[in-house]
Amino acid sequence: MDAKDLECRARTRSGCITPELVSRLLERGHADVVESQANDGEWFCALAWARVLGDQGREADALDALAPYVATGWWTAVVAAAELLEGWGRTDEAIDITRTRMEAGHPMALEAYTRLLTRHGRAEEAFNLLVPHVDDWVLATALVDVASVAGRDEEAAALLAGRIRADHRCDGPWCCRGLDPDTALGLLATIRERQDHIDEAIALLRRRQITSVNSRDQLADLLARHGRIEELRAYAALDGHEEAVQRLAELLEKGDDVEGAIAVYGQVDGPAAQDPNSAYGLAQLLARHGRGKEAIAVMRAQAEVHLGDDWILHALSELCLDQGRPVDGLAHLDALDVRRGGEVEWELYWMRLPLIAACSGVDEAVERARAHSEGATWYAAEHIARLLAGAGRIEEAVAVLQQHDHRNSHDLAGYLVDLGRVEEALAILQRLNRHTA
């Protein structure tokens, strides 16, 4: 067993029994198979089996299931063991195994170790360990969180302030390695908000160059939390602040001002007219409040403007299906296909299959899928099988996937497990694993 190989398999979900299939095996009463595979190098089986044993009070056996994986030094396995120990109240042991990896120099161990210490009354110690590493943005984030518990907000704030260069503007994503000014400003704002210095926190966030991180806008969230609606409205009106638009709409909807939320998106020249993401937000809002026809019209307008944009077409199709209007959905797609010049590639075709099934039945959808120029491919087989399985026709789904068992091995294995044909499922995966290796 090798840490690099385990990491690769877990990250790519290739050459292994996936978590979804492990859950399927357990749900269908095949715990013995999961146990056997756990002992044969299948990480997701080992993790699930350890949790099962822990729930049964068999803590020693659970740790034994993970032991070969932990012994490789693989960080994911170490974290899993530590989480189990912490959950059982065996905090000192959890701290010990995490500290061992930290002392061995694992790059992610210090954050986990200090957060673990903080959760168990040792925040002062954790803070002191993090201080020398404040130039690492991950550890700086941990430092800010730990400072709250340790009562050392001002020290953390001073460290961050010392790393904000007023005269510097990044000229690219890799300009500042480690703790960049925008991240430092955001972390410092977190501390100031925590201290109830709201105006100072807002001023700090207004200095950031990049306002959106992971589809969230920290300033928009802060303004919403403190009910500063007019400031949020003005911020949302700025070009390119779609997350702020969404946050304002969410806040108004939560306050039962649905019309106000719609208005945030819905001006003639508003965000929904210009930005597909805002249009999707508006469509979801309308659908939640029984205005499905308007929601469909919003996404149809986007599909007209962005011909061939698959996610917009998917959103339109799903809306039509959810609103019980599959005929309208097909009509929209057909009209768009004509504008694109006839038959479209499979990636833009398969989304109509659930609509066809809702209108005319699964057999019609399958027949139309097979008639497509790409209907005999492995990727079409995946969608055809899904249609059949959704109608409870698992044997037929299996027959479709068996024609491409190498490319659709995980889906095929899942359906075989549903049929109780577990040995066949494992044989397919083992053959794939040998090919991958």
Side-chain angles (χ1 to χ4, degrees):
M1 206 175 287
D2 176 77
K4 288 183 178 179
D5 179 56
L6 288 167
E7 173 63 24
C8 180
R9 292 188 182 198
R11 186 181 67 255
T12 63
R13 299 293 199 268
S14 63
C16 67
I17 300 176
T18 64
E20 296 78 15
L21 189 53
V22 174
S23 297
R24 223 156 170 164
L25 286 164
L26 289 172
E27 288 166 5
R28 286 154 180 73
H30 301 292
D32 58 328
V33 174
V34 174
E35 178 183 12
S36 172
Q37 294 299 314
N39 293 329
D40 198 30
E42 288 288 349
W43 163 246
F44 293 115
C45 288
L47 180 60
W49 184 236
R51 288 170 176 165
V52 168
L53 292 170
D55 290 343
Q56 295 173 352
R58 297 167 58 186
E59 295 176 7
D61 291 336
L63 293 176
D64 284 344
L66 295 182
Y69 302 86
V70 174
T72 67
W74 184 37
W75 177 241
T76 299
V78 173
V79 169
E83 287 176 350
L84 286 177
L85 288 164
E86 185 182 13
W88 299 333
R90 295 164 61 174
T91 304
D92 289 343
E93 293 172 77
I95 289 172
D96 283 345
I97 66 168
T98 309
R99 184 180 61 243
T100 298
R101 293 305 297 149
M102 181 188 71
E103 291 172 346
H106 193 283
M108 298 171 67
L110 179 58
E111 182 198 8
Y113 180 65
T114 52
R115 289 188 182 278
L116 182 56
L117 290 177
T118 301
R119 289 196 296 273
H120 296 282
R122 296 167 63 179
E124 284 279 346
E125 180 182 349
F127 186 89
N128 290 332
L129 285 169
L130 288 166
V131 166
H133 304 280
V134 70
D135 289 315
D136 180 306
W137 72 269
V138 173
L139 298 178
T141 302
L143 178 78
V144 169
D145 294 339
V146 170
S148 176
V149 182
R152 299 176 70 173
D153 271 347
E154 279 306 324
E155 291 173 72
L159 286 168
L160 293 167
R163 283 157 176 79
I164 300 171
R165 291 168 50 191
D167 60 342
H168 178 73
R169 295 184 69 81
C170 289
D171 58 7
W174 308 113
C175 175
C176 292
R177 297 185 180 275
L179 184 63
D180 62 277
D182 274 2
T183 301
L185 284 165
L187 292 173
L188 182 54
T190 296
I191 294 174
R192 294 311 183 208
E193 183 187 5
R194 200 156 64 204
Q195 296 173 321
D196 207 29
H197 299 159
I198 308 305
D199 288 335
E200 185 179 350
I202 291 171
L204 287 165
L205 292 174
R206 290 192 185 280
R207 292 169 56 188
R208 299 175 80 185
Q209 288 180 258
I210 299 173
T211 59
S212 175
V213 179
N214 296 327
S215 298
R216 298 301 300 185
D217 185 308
Q218 188 177 350
L219 176 55
D221 289 343
L222 185 152
L223 293 170
R225 278 194 297 274
H226 296 278
R228 313 222 356 198
I229 293 179
E230 291 312 312
E231 290 171 82
L232 179 56
R233 192 184 301 279
Y235 183 55
L238 298 175
D239 185 43
H241 286 58
E242 64 185 55
E243 286 83 4
V245 171
Q246 180 183 349
R247 194 68 185 89
L248 176 59
E250 290 170 354
L251 186 63
L252 292 169
E253 183 186 13
K254 187 176 180 180
D256 294 325
D257 184 4
V258 176
E259 291 301 326
I262 291 171
V264 170
Y265 291 114
Q267 302 92 334
V268 174
D269 61 345
Q274 303 171 34
D275 174 57
N277 292 317
S278 292
Y280 182 72
L282 173 58
Q284 294 296 303
L285 172 63
L286 290 164
R288 283 195 297 274
H289 294 278
R291 296 165 66 168
K293 187 174 181 180
E294 294 172 73
I296 291 169
V298 168
M299 293 313 298
R300 173 66 194 271
Q302 289 295 317
E304 293 276 359
V305 174
H306 303 278
L307 278 178
D309 193 318
D310 61 343
W311 85 262
I312 293 174
L313 293 175
H314 279 290
L316 174 61
S317 301
E318 288 172 2
L319 262 176
C320 290
L321 195 62
D322 292 343
Q323 296 299 316
R325 304 170 71 98
V327 174
D328 291 349
L330 286 173
H332 295 325
L333 292 177
D334 287 342
L336 292 168
D337 288 350
V338 170
R339 289 185 58 190
R340 285 194 299 266
E343 183 178 274
V344 296
E345 63 272 23
W346 182 262
E347 186 58 34
L348 295 177
Y349 182 83
W350 73 264
M351 66 190 73
R352 71 179 56 231
L353 297 179
L355 296 169
I356 297 170
C359 290
S360 307
V362 169
D363 286 331
E364 175 68 15
V366 170
E367 183 178 342
R368 295 269 295 275
R370 286 174 170 158
H372 190 276
S373 61
E374 298 171 70
T377 60
W378 67 269
Y379 46 86
E382 175 188 344
H383 295 108
I384 294 170
R386 191 179 303 157
L387 279 172
L388 293 165
R393 295 157 63 174
I394 309 297
E395 291 277 6
E396 293 175 70
V398 165
V400 169
L401 293 175
Q402 282 176 328
Q403 299 172 50
H404 310 274
D405 59 350
H406 174 64
R407 301 302 294 269
N408 291 299
S409 57
H410 288 108
D411 287 340
L412 176 56
Y415 292 135
L416 287 170
V417 168
D418 291 343
L419 294 172
R421 293 157 61 178
V422 177
E423 290 186 5
E424 286 182 64
L426 293 178
I428 287 168
L429 293 176
Q430 286 164 357
R431 187 167 70 249
L432 174 66
N433 292 355
R434 287 196 297 271
H435 179 81
T436 304

